[in-house]
Amino acid sequence: MSTVPATSISVSRAVLALRVTVAVLLGIHGFYRAFAGGVAGFGSYLTISGIPFGLSLAWLITVFEMAGSLLLLAGRFVSAVVPGFLLILVSGVVMVHAREGWFVVGGGRNGAEYSVLLIVSLLIVLLSHRAATSHR
């Protein structure tokens, strides 16, 4: 007989589904940029925005998104990977999405709502991971 309550199992499955979904979404973003030739444009945007070494940083972010998404998907190094994604997403909100408003589509374009959803999802994954690993 299991000593783990059924609600704990269903919550852990829900968090697993959230972690996998977020990993896939973030991974698609990085892999698409890398393989569709978008890194140079991203690097140019960063340079024009006054960020030094724009192209190098664009590659660093892209590689992090690809590798980090695979690690997140596998549930490895979650406590190290999630803060990196949070930094990238918050930077995106500050540099791009906040000035565009809230809505991604409908009431606006390119707003912050999707990034906020990812940020909250990542925080849930991180806090759940820390809670689960502290009980081991």
Side-chain angles (χ1 to χ4, degrees):
M1 171 122 4
S2 175
T3 60
V4 178
T7 55
S8 294
I9 294 170
S10 62
V11 168
S12 66
R13 286 184 181 159
V15 172
L16 172 65
L18 182 63
R19 180 174 52 80
V20 167
T21 301
V22 170
V24 169
L25 292 172
L26 293 169
I28 289 170
H29 198 82
F31 281 100
Y32 179 81
R33 184 185 310 115
F35 293 109
V39 178
F42 182 36
S44 294
Y45 168 76
L46 294 173
T47 300
I48 290 168
S49 298
I51 296 174
F53 309 106
L55 183 59
S56 297
L57 183 58
W59 271 111
L60 180 68
I61 291 169
T62 301
V63 169
F64 178 86
E65 287 176 340
M66 292 187 299
S69 67
L70 295 174
L71 290 169
L72 191 59
L73 185 64
R76 308 292 297 177
F77 303 105
V78 172
S79 292
V81 170
V82 169
F85 278 122
L86 291 173
L87 178 62
I88 292 167
L89 288 164
V90 169
S91 297
V93 168
V94 169
M95 293 180 67
V96 177
H97 303 295
R99 71 172 169 248
E100 298 292 334
W102 177 252
F103 297 103
V104 174
V105 296
R109 185 182 134 349
N110 207 22
E113 69 178 329
Y114 179 67
S115 295
V116 171
L117 178 61
L118 287 172
I119 289 166
V120 171
S121 298
L122 282 166
L123 287 171
I124 291 168
V125 168
L126 179 62
L127 295 173
S128 299
H129 175 77
R130 286 184 178 168
T133 55
S134 70
H135 289 92
R136 289 184 186 168

